[in-house]
Amino acid sequence: MKRIGVLTSGGDSPGMNAAIRAVVRCGIEAGMEVYGIKRGYEGLLDGEICQLDRNSVGDILHRGGTILKTARSERFRTEEGQTHGVSVLETFGIEGLVVIGGDGSLRGGCDLDRRGIKVMGLPGTIDNDLGYTDFTIGFDTAVSTVLDAISKVRDTSSSHERTTVIEVMGRHCGDIALYAGLAGGAEAVLIPEIETDVNELCRKILIGANRGKQHSIIIKAEGVEISTAALTKTIEERTGRETRPVVLSYLQRGGTPTLRDRMLATLTGAKAVELLQEDSDSKAIGTVNGEIVAYDLQQALAQKREIDREMYDLIGILSK
């Protein structure tokens, strides 16, 4: 394989640039030409493709976001869009493609795979919602960002003796809330995988207050059925304690990637080039028990992410 492409798609995540850098420089070292596709599948359809050299990816290892930009593409979801995407790749002579993104982005890679394009999928999403890999690129940085926010919110919550509901990202997977809640000492964590018992939550807040707790921190994933505004109002009404919401939103997507995210991005990027050089079938690349692994792309995406129930229960024990 002599000519490969790389794109980032869907929501951005810290570490994407490190992955791009690894793909470009490892690809060039392997004697390949590497082409960057801007704005994900949307840019592919528009032919926004340019050749990258070593200098193109200089000084980006530490930067959040993605130099290739990213977008969501409704056009690519159609049969016509996917067929056109393949024709654009063929026009540029691109034989293999590295896709850095989440579930939807990698499923787009499956569509190209079915049309004869070799695709290597890298798990670029802060949500950590891909079942085939222990961790995704950007998750560790996002949790670190949330932990920093928890520390700051705790200072003011303690001063005012109030309850604070911190909403974090995670529409279908509550890992950001779960990990940040455990490491940040939250009184409770609400995630979409487990039904929320508002009565139990309010009882816990009152029991803690009666025991002398000056404040309570509740971490809530955005995918939880009850809205943050409604939850905040209910807690305040039932406990009689001042309650405020904090929505971190896109703050979690930005920032300098952590060591873990830089390493994961770099090693999976290098593995993608290695597999393309071998003309391997399409793969999803990730990490299991600290080792870089590669699974059949379609089979990998069929794996469901399971919540760590022991970690969830431990939060309840430690916060009593």
Side-chain angles (χ1 to χ4, degrees), residues 207-225:
I207 291 171
N210 293 336
R211 201 172 67 246
K213 275 194 174 184
Q214 296 183 345
H215 67 278
S216 293
I217 300 291
I218 313 300
I219 309 297
K220 172 188 172 294
E222 63 180 329
V224 171
E225 185 174 355

Side-chain angles (χ1 to χ4, degrees), residues 228-241:
T228 299
L231 178 64
T232 301
K233 182 179 179 182
T234 299
I235 292 173
E236 187 163 277
E237 289 175 348
R238 296 192 183 183
T239 66
R241 297 177 65 83

Side-chain angles (χ1 to χ4, degrees), residues 153-154 156-166 187-188 190 201-202 204-209 213-219 228 231-246:
V153 167
R154 178 174 280 112
T156 186
S157 293
S158 177
S159 297
H160 290 271
E161 299 180 284
R162 64 165 61 121
T163 297
T164 306
V165 178
I166 302 177
E187 274 62 49
L190 310 182
L201 175 61
C202 291
K204 187 169 189 177
I205 292 171
L206 287 172
I207 291 171
K213 275 194 174 184
Q214 296 183 345
H215 67 278
S216 293
I217 300 291
I218 313 300
I219 309 297
T228 299
L231 178 64
T232 301
K233 182 179 179 182
T234 299
I235 292 173
E236 187 163 277
E237 289 175 348
R238 296 192 183 183
T239 66
R241 297 177 65 83
E242 181 183 12
T243 306
R244 292 289 180 268
V246 174

Side-chain angles (χ1 to χ4, degrees), residues 18-237:
I20 295 168
R21 174 179 178 267
V23 170
V24 171
R25 291 190 171 175
C26 289
I28 292 172
E29 184 68 19
M32 300 177 181
E33 293 180 4
V34 185
Y35 286 77
I37 302 169
K38 294 189 175 181
R39 297 192 304 113
Y41 294 115
E42 190 73 1
L44 170 62
L45 297 181
D46 291 335
E48 296 184 37
I49 301 175
C50 61
Q51 187 171 356
L52 301 175
D53 59 22
R54 292 181 180 275
N55 291 334
S56 302
V57 293
D59 201 30
I60 67 170
L61 179 66
H62 61 287
R63 291 168 54 186
T66 163
I67 62 166
L68 291 177
K69 311 304 179 187
T70 185
R72 305 187 191 277
S73 178
E74 290 301 322
R75 291 189 293 160
F76 188 76
R77 294 176 183 271
T78 67
E79 291 286 337
E80 296 80 3
Q82 292 158 17
T83 299
H84 179 59
V86 171
S87 71
V88 173
L89 291 172
E90 291 175 345
T91 298
F92 279 84
I94 294 173
E95 305 165 85
L97 183 64
V98 180
V99 174
I100 309 167
D103 182 81
S105 301
L106 300 195
R107 290 190 187 280
C110 285
D111 295 326
L112 293 175
D113 173 59
R114 284 191 286 268
R115 289 166 171 78
I117 301 296
K118 298 291 179 65
V119 176
M120 298 299 153
L122 272 55
T125 169
I126 68 169
D127 290 340
N128 209 42
D129 58 352
L130 293 169
Y132 77 88
T133 180
D134 287 343
F135 297 106
T136 59
I137 299 167
F139 172 69
D140 190 67
T141 307
V143 172
S144 296
T145 298
V146 174
L147 285 175
D148 182 62
I150 291 173
S151 296
K152 291 178 170 62
V153 167
R154 178 174 280 112
D155 290 342
T156 186
S157 293
S158 177
S159 297
H160 290 271
E161 299 180 284
R162 64 165 61 121
T163 297
T164 306
V165 178
I166 302 177
E167 181 186 296
V168 301
M169 286 186 169
R171 284 179 295 174
H172 306 294
C173 176
D175 273 12
I176 292 178
L178 191 63
Y179 281 71
L182 178 62
E187 274 62 49
V189 170
L190 310 182
I191 56 178
E193 296 93 334
I194 297 177
E195 185 176 355
T196 299
D197 187 335
V198 176
N199 289 328
E200 180 182 356
L201 175 61
C202 291
R203 283 198 304 272
K204 187 169 189 177
I205 292 171
L206 287 172
I207 291 171
N210 293 336
R211 201 172 67 246
K213 275 194 174 184
Q214 296 183 345
H215 67 278
S216 293
I217 300 291
I218 313 300
I219 309 297
K220 172 188 172 294
E222 63 180 329
V224 171
E225 185 174 355
I226 185 172
S227 71
T228 299
L231 178 64
T232 301
K233 182 179 179 182
T234 299
I235 292 173
E236 187 163 277
E237 289 175 348

Side-chain angles (χ1 to χ4, degrees), residues 284-301:
I285 305 168
T287 179
V288 175
N289 297 325
E291 298 292 330
I292 299 300
V293 295
Y295 299 114
D296 175 85
L297 183 58
Q298 297 191 38
Q299 292 179 5
L301 294 177

